[in-house]
Amino acid sequence: MEKAEFKSLLKEIRSELNMNKNLLDKVLNEEMCRGNSINLQKIANTIKEYENFEDFNHENKKIAVYYSGNPEITITYILDSIIYNNNITLCSKGHRRFNSILIDCIKEAFANRKLENKWINYDDSYNEVYLKDNSKLFDKLVYIGDYFEYMQFKSFVNREVEYNNFGSIKLFINQSEYKEEYKKIINYSTREKIFLEVYDDIQEFINESKDENFSVVFGDIDILKTARKELKGEMLFNAFPYDDYKFTISR
């Protein structure tokens, strides 16, 4: 897809989402009553960020993703798949009703632009069992979430699986020294339904975080040097992104 055509499609997607805002708000309220959190602004921000995307390449892969169902991940993988001409199969743990409406809006935008859907493969019955049973059909598998659940999944399918720990954060912090920061992180993680693992032993934190693509460290310069020397993923030092915490696809 050419850049101009893609930008036109994004405009059409925004239009469809605006036309279905009342329905999306209704489902959003239902999710909130169940204790689930969906940030509509992050979906809008993701679409806006892709407006300036320049790196259009054809990978032509069949990719399957198992994840929490966070719509921010849904929209990111769909737009990424369009850009790279990949077929994406989304296996959602939750938010299925909201994702169904979101994807219907995107498919309607395809129809309005006279584009055949070659990218999205989604059914609200798709789950971890479906992906385990059909893992051989895909060029790449991605697991997003808890590391130990990922390891169990990987051993079952017995093949390479890409891991992303979005929504599951490992944090090293001295809770008494960074009392206010810790309180803010706890409140944010509770609100956004982020699974937070907290460590006060730096070596234990390093041992458990080596395969993470994102982690957070609060400590002095010696702690920073020790962690940076050992860890390969992105690490925030004495800072937490709060509302800027967003999903990105590893490449």
Side-chain angles (χ1 to χ4, degrees):
M1 182 177 292
E2 298 296 326
K3 181 179 178 180
E5 186 178 25
F6 181 68
K7 290 187 71 170
S8 177
L9 176 62
L10 291 181
K11 183 178 179 180
E12 200 69 50
I13 290 172
R14 281 198 302 272
S15 176
E16 285 296 325
L17 292 175
N18 286 333
M19 287 173 60
N20 288 274
K21 187 177 185 304
N22 289 339
L23 179 57
L24 289 168
D25 285 341
K26 179 183 176 183
V27 177
L28 175 63
N29 289 331
E30 291 172 358
E31 292 282 1
M32 290 178 67
C33 289
R34 298 189 191 101
N36 296 325
S37 174
I38 298 176
N39 192 325
L40 292 178
Q41 188 58 49
K42 286 192 174 183
I43 296 174
N45 290 346
T46 299
I47 295 173
K48 186 174 182 179
E49 286 174 7
Y50 272 93
E51 287 182 349
N52 298 317
F53 202 88
E54 299 287 346
D55 185 23
F56 284 74
N57 290 305
H58 282 199
E59 293 183 349
N60 300 311
K61 292 180 180 177
K62 294 183 70 175
I63 301 172
V65 179
Y66 180 72
Y67 66 118
S68 64
N70 186 325
E72 182 186 348
I73 299 175
T74 303
I75 189 68
T76 302
Y77 259 107
I78 286 175
L79 297 182
D80 184 90
S81 297
I82 295 170
I83 283 174
Y84 288 98
N85 200 37
N86 292 324
N87 179 275
I88 185 71
T89 295
L90 297 161
C91 299
S92 169
K93 198 173 184 179
H95 300 311
R96 293 192 175 115
R97 174 69 174 142
F98 191 94
N99 280 322
S100 292
I101 298 169
L102 174 61
I103 291 169
D104 283 345
C105 288
I106 295 171
K107 288 181 176 179
E108 189 62 30
F110 289 164
N112 294 342
R113 302 304 304 168
K114 295 182 171 53
L115 292 170
E116 179 185 357
N117 174 29
K118 301 179 292 182
W119 304 281
I120 309 169
N121 184 24
Y122 176 81
D123 188 293
D124 61 14
S125 67
Y126 289 171
N127 55 25
E128 189 174 13
V129 175
Y130 167 84
L131 190 50
K132 286 177 177 177
D133 290 342
N134 296 278
S135 62
K136 293 181 180 178
L137 300 178
F138 303 100
D139 300 314
K140 181 164 79 169
L141 301 180
V142 182
Y143 196 102
I144 302 171
D146 179 73
Y147 180 75
F148 293 104
E149 292 178 1
Y150 150 74
M151 287 299 291
Q152 290 176 346
F153 176 82
K154 183 179 179 182
S155 65
F156 185 92
V157 298
N158 195 29
R159 59 170 289 187
E160 183 180 352
V161 180
E162 181 181 300
Y163 176 60
N164 187 306
N165 66 299
F166 181 79
S168 180
I169 299 176
K170 287 182 170 61
L171 166 71
F172 172 85
I173 189 169
N174 182 317
Q175 297 176 30
S176 58
E177 185 177 349
Y178 296 94
K179 185 176 180 180
E180 291 303 314
E181 292 87 345
Y182 182 66
K183 187 187 299 184
K184 289 180 182 179
I185 294 170
I186 289 294
N187 289 340
Y188 176 80
S189 300
T190 301
R191 185 178 77 245
E192 296 297 319
K193 302 299 177 185
I194 294 171
F195 177 63
L196 191 68
E197 292 183 75
V198 183
Y199 298 80
D200 57 11
D201 182 283
I202 189 59
Q203 199 54 55
E204 182 184 4
F205 168 79
I206 288 170
N207 291 341
E208 296 291 333
S209 304
K210 286 185 176 179
D211 292 317
E212 307 286 305
N213 60 300
F214 176 83
S215 58
V216 181
V217 172
F218 278 79
D220 59 28
I221 192 65
D222 290 332
I223 292 290
L224 169 64
K225 288 179 179 179
T226 301
R228 280 204 170 143
K229 183 178 178 181
E230 298 286 342
L231 300 183
K232 59 185 179 182
E234 179 186 359
M235 184 187 68
L236 289 185
F237 180 64
N238 288 350
F240 195 87
Y242 300 107
D243 290 331
D244 290 331
Y245 179 58
K246 65 179 182 179
F247 175 73
T248 55
I249 295 175
S250 301
R251 283 212 139 75

